[in-house]
Amino acid sequence: MKRIKSYFLMLLISVAIFSCSDDDSPLNPEQGDDDNSEEPSEQESRYVVAATPNALEGVADYLLSIESLNSGSVSLIGNGVEQDGTYRYYISNNNKFFSLLYGQGNPGAVTTYQLNANGGLDMISDFQAETVQSFTNVDDEILMTKISRNSTNPIASWYRLDTESSQIVDEGQINTQDIIDNDELAFFTWMTQVGDQVYAPFMSVKACCNDTFGTDYPDQAWIAVYSYPEMELQSIIEDDRTSYIGRYFTSGLGVVENGDIYAFSSAVATTNGEASSTKPSAITKINAGEEEFDDSYFFNLEEASNGYYMTEQTYVGDGVFVLNMDPTASKGAYTTGNRLAIVNVYDQSFVWVEGLPNEDAITSITSQNNYVEDGVVHVGVTTDAGSYIYQIDVDNASATQGVEIEGGTITAISKLSIE
């Protein structure tokens, strides 16, 4: 199984929330202050790259503050800020970089960084956290949801974090049995801001019977629509042309400039441990201002790619997405595709990216932790030969090898400005 390249968020609070949880390792959801001083820099911004040391297993990431992603090399030895604990995941908002420890059912440390005048990373806060399984930026807030997969207590708890004050400003609960019209539970795959609302795709899960993430309804897609900031349910959008939207801890929605919403399905639903969806991996559409799927739009990715399915998506702009793809023959619920493709959802064009290492040679690739800048997608790619950040030029579907991160596996790429 390939390691999931996602980042699990925990609830930032000024005091620890201690509660019982049946959540398990983020690598398989079904199983159970350092100095970073830099030389003075005239740059107004720096890239923040997270990487896991290769020498040891079960070790923490290091955060590097670097000037360029395009060339050169940076070693983890003697550089960067070491994180406390494994299973770190990341998100940026309001010119802050949040480093988040997945607590495997327990509260875990969450550390917030800003750039100092010299371009190094300063820790500005350190909190305890409750493990959550879904989060997203909503303007200058982070919306987080701790999702139950326990049929006797089907409650998802949501929290709004103000990133300016690093304080919780509101919280509430959602009964996940009440938003689905079958005998299973709704489990949110992700949440996405759409205007002044939040769209929350979910999968239907048994949450019992030794088939916790399995379903008897593998060929159905749902999206719950919530008001914001109240998080009151407005409607449920359904479609039977695909399996569920997104995947466990993976965003399945992309909002383009005119407000249209594109929904990505990997078609990886399982029943009793076996792949059970009869639908193809595909993209569907919800037109701006509407709360129903557009029946006239259907982009069959397995057909366009000649036998691949998508695992993650990165929006670039103007209807263009970079997709992580994997062969349908090895379809799995938690894999990350090592081959990249570029699709334009407007004209349903599909093209493979050239210039990357062979997909079989790639041991790790970033997905939701990619960084998009000026129409270029920066992706971390690791093979036995090393770990590099590649620049994906979507105009010519080409990849160019950039900076090498020596001694580490790249897990996240972001950028902060010097204030």
Side-chain angles (χ1 to χ4, degrees):
M1 181 183 294
K2 303 173 186 176
R3 184 183 173 189
I4 301 172
K5 299 298 179 283
S6 60
Y7 38 85
F8 278 31
L9 183 61
M10 291 74 59
L11 169 61
L12 291 179
I13 53 175
S14 57
V15 295
I17 299 177
F18 296 95
S19 63
C20 296
S21 171
D22 61 352
D23 296 324
D24 302 302
S25 166
L27 296 181
N28 188 343
E30 297 195 36
Q31 300 176 348
D33 296 308
D34 296 331
D35 181 30
N36 189 40
S37 59
E38 302 280 349
E39 292 298 320
S41 171
E42 295 182 357
Q43 283 193 318
E44 295 181 354
S45 60
R46 303 272 284 195
Y47 297 96
V48 179
V49 177
T52 304
N54 293 332
L56 299 171
E57 299 229 355
V59 295
D61 283 359
Y62 279 73
L63 301 182
L64 300 170
S65 171
I66 62 179
E67 294 184 1
S68 173
L69 300 178
N70 297 329
S71 61
S73 64
V74 179
S75 174
L76 287 188
I77 300 175
N79 292 310
V81 179
E82 183 179 5
Q83 302 303 281
D84 179 17
T86 55
Y87 302 143
R88 284 275 180 170
Y89 302 91
Y90 309 98
I91 186 170
S92 296
N93 192 328
N94 201 16
N95 202 35
K96 299 179 178 71
F97 186 83
F98 297 90
S99 172
L100 315 156
L101 175 64
Y102 181 74
Q104 300 190 63
N106 300 310
V110 179
T111 314
T112 309
Y113 295 92
Q114 282 185 329
L115 288 181
N116 59 39
N118 294 327
L121 288 169
D122 283 344
M123 184 182 71
I124 61 173
S125 65
D126 194 14
F127 297 92
Q128 288 295 303
E130 180 85 35
T131 299
V132 300
Q133 293 77 37
S134 170
F135 64 95
T136 193
N137 286 324
V138 182
D139 298 326
D140 286 339
E141 295 182 348
I142 300 174
L143 171 65
M144 300 153 289
T145 311
K146 180 178 177 63
I147 310 165
S148 170
R149 48 187 174 91
N150 184 339
S151 57
T152 62
N153 184 30
I155 301 300
S157 299
W158 57 265
Y159 309 86
R160 289 172 43 220
L161 169 69
D162 179 84
T163 59
E164 182 65 36
S165 64
S166 291
Q167 293 182 350
I168 300 303
V169 294
D170 199 6
E171 62 183 80
Q173 294 184 330
I174 297 169
N175 188 316
T176 58
Q177 279 184 331
D178 290 347
I179 63 174
I180 193 167
D181 58 358
N182 60 39
D183 55 349
E184 298 182 350
L185 299 184
F187 192 98
F188 301 116
T189 57
W190 204 250
M191 293 189 175
T192 300
Q193 180 181 6
V194 179
D196 59 359
Q197 296 179 311
V198 168
Y199 278 47
F202 59 86
M203 51 184 172
S204 180
V205 299
K206 294 180 184 178
C208 70
C209 319
N210 297 317
D211 193 20
T212 303
F213 277 95
T215 180
D216 289 329
Y217 307 92
D219 290 333
Q220 186 76 20
W222 301 268
I223 301 174
V225 179
Y226 291 94
S227 63
Y228 200 82
E230 302 85 5
M231 288 299 292
E232 294 180 354
L233 182 65
Q234 305 298 296
S235 63
I236 302 291
I237 307 173
E238 299 185 41
D239 197 350
D240 60 6
R241 294 174 299 164
T242 71
S243 186
Y244 60 79
I245 303 303
R247 299 186 306 152
Y248 180 85
F249 204 81
T250 302
S251 173
L253 294 181
V255 184
V256 301
E257 286 78 3
N258 70 352
D260 289 345
I261 306 160
Y262 290 87
F264 296 78
S265 175
S266 299
V268 291
T270 63
T271 306
N272 298 319
E274 300 292 334
S276 55
S277 177
T278 65
K279 307 298 184 180
S281 177
I283 307 173
T284 50
K285 178 187 178 185
I286 300 171
N287 294 316
E290 298 183 8
E291 293 187 356
E292 61 182 5
F293 283 94
D294 182 347
D295 289 337
S296 69
Y297 187 94
F298 190 81
F299 189 175
N300 188 326
L301 293 173
E302 294 186 20
E303 186 178 83
S305 64
N306 193 26
Y308 281 70
Y309 74 105
M310 64 83 58
T311 65
E312 284 92 0
Q313 51 87 15
T314 301
Y315 186 50
V316 184
D318 296 325
V320 175
F321 291 79
V322 172
L323 305 184
N324 291 66
M325 305 289 293
D326 208 44
T328 55
S330 58
K331 186 176 287 189
Y334 311 115
T335 58
T336 294
N338 286 345
R339 192 174 183 185
L340 300 186
I342 296 169
V343 298
N344 188 313
V345 294
Y346 296 158
D347 61 13
Q348 298 193 23
S349 60
F350 181 102
V351 61
W352 292 111
V353 173
E354 300 292 338
L356 288 169
N358 184 277
E359 60 187 294
D360 294 329
I362 295 174
T363 58
S364 174
I365 187 168
T366 55
S367 52
Q368 296 195 111
N369 292 293
N370 298 331
Y371 181 69
V372 180
E373 184 176 42
D374 299 327
V376 174
V377 183
H378 301 275
V379 179
V381 178
T382 302
T383 68
D384 289 340
S387 193
Y388 296 85
I389 293 178
Y390 280 79
Q391 283 71 53
I392 311 300
D393 185 333
V394 298
D395 290 334
N396 57 27
S398 65
T400 302
Q401 183 177 284
V403 64
E404 179 183 10
I405 304 300
E406 297 178 355
T409 296
I410 300 165
T411 58
I413 309 164
S414 189
K415 189 178 184 180
L416 297 178
S417 298
I418 299 174
E419 295 185 337

